[in-house]
Amino acid sequence: MLQELYQEIILDHYAHPRNRGRLEGAEVVVEGVNPSCGDEISLFARVRDGVVEEVRFEGKGCSISQASASMMTEAVRGKTLAAVRELVDRFRRMMHGEPPDEEALGELVALQGVRRFPVRVKCATLAWVALERGLSEYECGRTAQVVASTEDEL
Ligand code: ZN
């Protein structure tokens, strides 16, 4: 039952991606790639006063990579950089096998089923790796477009 619900959430985000498109004047622009599956995303974020005000993405690839990106944009919009980092960390820990904090992760727990297919975990983490990389560059004062690969993930 729960697995079916999770599957539905993922497919809904894949079929109807939220916050899709480019963002002009974004401070954070990241090209994310997941070579193990061929997934790609372009991530754009606007940061104001330490808050991720707007975040959008474009991309192509498997349903898990694109659904995860869509879910990520909804989860981080309006959050402070510190809160986003915390969420990225929670999400990563869930994907690496820790029991999820369901209250903090909300709908994102739908992606935990992907853990059963270890080769697909990077599909789910792609958007998050790209986001984390982009925000790190931003916090270092660099706003040029950066490239992030799931192969670089620790
Ligand atoms: Zn994939």
Side-chain angles (χ1 to χ4, degrees):
M1 271 302 281
L2 201 53
Q3 279 306 322
E4 278 171 34
L5 172 67
Y6 287 168
Q7 193 66 23
E8 240 171 69
I9 292 171
I10 292 168
L11 290 176
D12 181 59
H13 274 272
Y14 179 58
H16 309 286
R18 322 299 200 265
N19 306 305
R20 194 172 169 85
R22 305 180 74 83
L23 191 59
E24 294 307 321
E27 287 89 2
V28 179
V29 181
V30 190
E31 295 297 320
V33 294
N34 174 26
S36 69
C37 181
D39 309 312
E40 299 173 8
I41 71 154
S42 301
L43 186 66
F44 308 88
R46 186 183 295 141
V47 183
R48 290 284 181 278
D49 302 324
V51 172
V52 177
E53 201 179 68
E54 190 68 57
V55 51
R56 291 190 205 161
F57 81 102
E58 287 186 328
K60 56 179 189 193
C62 71
S63 57
I64 292 166
S65 67
Q66 303 304 305
S68 182
S70 171
M71 293 164 84
M72 181 276 284
T73 62
E74 288 213 307
V76 305
R77 188 157 61 166
K79 283 194 164 65
T80 63
L81 293 174
V84 169
R85 282 195 178 284
E86 199 178 295
L87 188 67
V88 170
D89 189 51
R90 280 185 201 284
F91 182 77
R92 176 181 289 126
R93 281 188 278 138
M94 173 180 79
M95 294 312 298
H96 289 164
E98 284 184 34
D101 179 333
E102 299 198 8
E103 203 178 316
L105 287 162
E107 193 177 63
L108 295 166
V109 297
L111 288 158
Q112 68 180 309
V114 175
R115 292 186 308 206
R116 287 181 294 136
F117 312 98
V119 69
R120 309 301 300 282
V121 166
K122 287 181 176 178
C123 302
T125 57
L126 171 61
W128 300 80
V129 168
L131 175 70
E132 189 173 48
R133 181 74 208 284
L135 292 181
S136 292
E137 294 290 316
Y138 171 78
E139 287 181 311
C140 293
R142 290 187 288 268
T143 56
Q145 176 179 311
V146 293
V147 176
S149 170
T150 52
E151 298 301 303
D152 303 330
E153 196 187 359
L154 295 175

